[in-house]
Amino acid sequence: MARTKGDHDARRREVSEAVWRVLDAHGFGGLTLRAVAAELGATTGLLTHYFATKRDLVAYALDLLEQRTLDRPRETAPDESAALRVALLGVLPLTAEAATSNRIWVSSWDPALADAGLSRDHARRYARSRDRLRDLVAAGQRRGDLAAGDPADIAAGAQAFVLGLVVQSLFEPAAFPARRQVALVDGYLRSLSPMPR
Amino acid sequence: MARTKGDHDARRREVSEAVWRVLDAHGFGGLTLRAVAAELGATTGLLTHYFATKRDLVAYALDLLEQRTLDRPRETAPDESAALRVALLGVLPLTAEAATSNRIWVSSWDPALADAGLSRDHARRYARSRDRLRDLVAAGQRRGDLAAGDPADIAAGAQAFVLGLVVQSLFEPAAFPARRQVALVDGYLRSLSPMPR
């Protein structure tokens, strides 16, 4: 009996779920064809139909991570002046789901830094994210919500602040509950406001 | 002929150098007994005298990374009011040597997040580093150099800022030359100052 497109898509989804569970439990360091096969209850041989090499598997996992991050439900900013805050908070591990996704992002920096092609892809992702923040900063400055300054530098600083907060929160969730993460970002945003504090 | 303590120490140094070169080239994802043995020109069997398991090797590499970071020559603050700035700049990949060390630190987050014991060790390292920054912030506030606010929160924010700047600089060194990294930290420090900007 011929395999249908539906079969193929269903199998692809199963593979993606298995890759995600391996990443969640062991990070990229534990991502091997063997581990994904075990998670699927399949043979490593079967997996090689999907991924010829370990690098293919890692590249697939990075795409999956990006897709799941884009698909994550996001809070919508109530108005334009809240857009920068919502964008920054959207990065943080404020929920269990966002913590899993962030833990996998942080873990992805190891294989990405070890491979020129994957490193370029990551650099592009972070540059795109900074560009979005830069546009929000420039809009905030035009409205008078934010102090003057190079919007690209302010965006790079804001991205640095949330990325570093992610790392600290993942290692010490008890010291960085969601409430404190939000308060720290709000303090950072106040420092960007045009009025003397 | 009996092996002397000097032989043992010399061998230990060779092993450390080999571990460092593997980390520099491939990150923690590429750190295996086999890779270190190849770098040493030794057998994997010999390596098992030093590291019974892969986890022992990873733990050793993390200790080595901490030791090399502590041993890295640091700029001394010209006076107390510069101490916080010097501490923050000391984290950044401003030189090739600091970039190597930072690249290995970032790479270490993957194995550390996958192992409860290693994760606790990392959490303790970052907490100690925040404590040092908190003391510098409190001293700056007493001198009137820094605005009021919870010194622990200001320290957590400053640590977030530099950690996130490290990550972005490693992925996009051309967009974050040393000069821009320093300027961003200086901008951040100005936002902590007591005077309206």
Side-chain angles (χ1 to χ4, degrees):
Chain A
M1 214 165 57
R3 303 253 300 273
T4 66
K5 172 124 191 349
D7 287 345
H8 179 81
D9 289 351
R11 193 66 184 160
R12 193 94 198 161
R13 268 196 303 279
E14 281 173 28
V15 170
S16 296
E17 285 301 326
V19 168
W20 193 253
R21 285 195 301 270
V22 171
L23 289 174
D24 184 19
H26 308 294
F28 275 84
L31 182 68
T32 59
L33 291 169
R34 187 186 299 198
V36 177
E39 192 67 42
L40 267 177
T43 61
T44 308
L46 182 116
L47 256 283
T48 58
H49 291 291
Y50 293 88
F51 314 109
T53 64
K54 167 76 188 279
R55 190 177 183 282
D56 288 347
L57 173 60
V58 170
Y60 178 83
L62 289 171
D63 286 343
L64 180 65
L65 175 56
E66 183 165 36
Q67 200 49 55
R68 294 217 168 187
T69 303
L70 292 173
D71 292 349
R72 216 165 75 198
R74 301 272 173 182
E75 210 182 311
T76 319
D79 56 58
E80 279 189 13
S81 68
L84 179 61
R85 179 174 188 265
V86 166
L88 295 178
L89 295 182
V91 174
L92 299 175
L94 300 177
T95 64
E97 194 189 359
T100 296
S101 165
N102 268 298
R103 180 240 181 285
I104 299 174
W105 271 112
V106 170
S107 151
S108 79
W109 295 338
D110 183 22
L113 285 169
D115 181 296
L118 300 178
S119 189
R120 265 194 307 274
D121 290 346
H122 256 27
R124 261 196 297 267
R125 288 184 180 104
Y126 289 111
R128 264 202 307 271
S129 161
R130 279 197 305 275
D131 286 349
R132 278 192 297 268
L133 293 178
R134 181 202 56 205
D135 294 346
L136 294 176
V137 166
Q141 290 175 325
R142 282 192 299 270
R143 280 192 314 273
D145 293 343
L146 296 175
D150 182 340
D153 281 344
I154 296 173
Q159 177 141 299
F161 193 89
V162 290
L163 287 179
L165 190 50
V166 164
V167 172
Q168 295 184 85
S169 303
L170 290 178
F171 279 111
E172 228 174 333
F176 291 92
R179 203 181 47 243
R180 188 180 185 205
Q181 294 180 53
V182 173
L184 287 168
V185 167
D186 282 337
Y188 185 71
L189 285 170
R190 270 195 304 277
S191 79
L192 300 179
S193 72
M195 303 300 292
R197 286 148 299 144
Chain B
M1 215 167 55
R3 304 254 301 272
T4 65
K5 171 121 191 352
D7 288 344
H8 178 83
D9 289 351
R11 192 66 182 161
R12 192 94 200 163
R13 269 196 303 278
E14 280 172 30
V15 170
S16 296
E17 286 300 327
V19 168
W20 194 253
R21 286 194 301 270
V22 170
L23 289 174
D24 184 19
H26 308 293
F28 275 84
L31 182 67
T32 59
L33 290 169
R34 188 187 299 199
V36 176
E39 192 66 44
L40 266 177
T43 62
T44 308
L46 181 116
L47 255 284
T48 58
H49 291 291
Y50 293 89
F51 314 109
T53 65
K54 166 77 188 279
R55 188 177 185 281
D56 288 348
L57 173 60
V58 170
Y60 177 83
L62 290 171
D63 286 342
L64 180 65
L65 175 56
E66 182 165 37
Q67 200 50 55
R68 295 218 168 188
T69 303
L70 292 172
D71 292 349
R72 215 165 76 199
R74 302 273 173 180
E75 210 181 312
T76 318
D79 56 58
E80 280 191 10
S81 68
L84 179 61
R85 177 174 189 265
V86 167
L88 295 178
L89 296 182
V91 174
L92 299 176
L94 300 179
T95 64
E97 194 189 359
T100 297
S101 165
N102 267 298
R103 180 240 181 284
I104 299 175
W105 271 112
V106 170
S107 151
S108 79
W109 294 338
D110 183 22
L113 285 169
D115 181 296
L118 299 178
S119 188
R120 264 195 308 274
D121 289 347
H122 256 28
R124 260 196 299 266
R125 288 184 180 104
Y126 289 111
R128 263 202 308 271
S129 160
R130 279 196 304 275
D131 287 349
R132 277 191 298 267
L133 293 177
R134 181 203 56 205
D135 294 346
L136 294 176
V137 166
Q141 290 175 324
R142 283 192 299 270
R143 281 192 314 272
D145 293 343
L146 295 175
D150 181 340
D153 281 344
I154 296 173
Q159 177 141 300
F161 193 89
V162 289
L163 286 179
L165 189 50
V166 165
V167 172
Q168 295 184 85
S169 303
L170 290 179
F171 278 111
E172 227 174 334
F176 292 92
R179 202 181 47 244
R180 187 180 186 205
Q181 294 180 52
V182 173
L184 287 168
V185 167
D186 282 337
Y188 184 71
L189 284 170
R190 271 195 302 277
S191 80
L192 300 178
S193 72
M195 302 300 292
R197 285 148 302 144

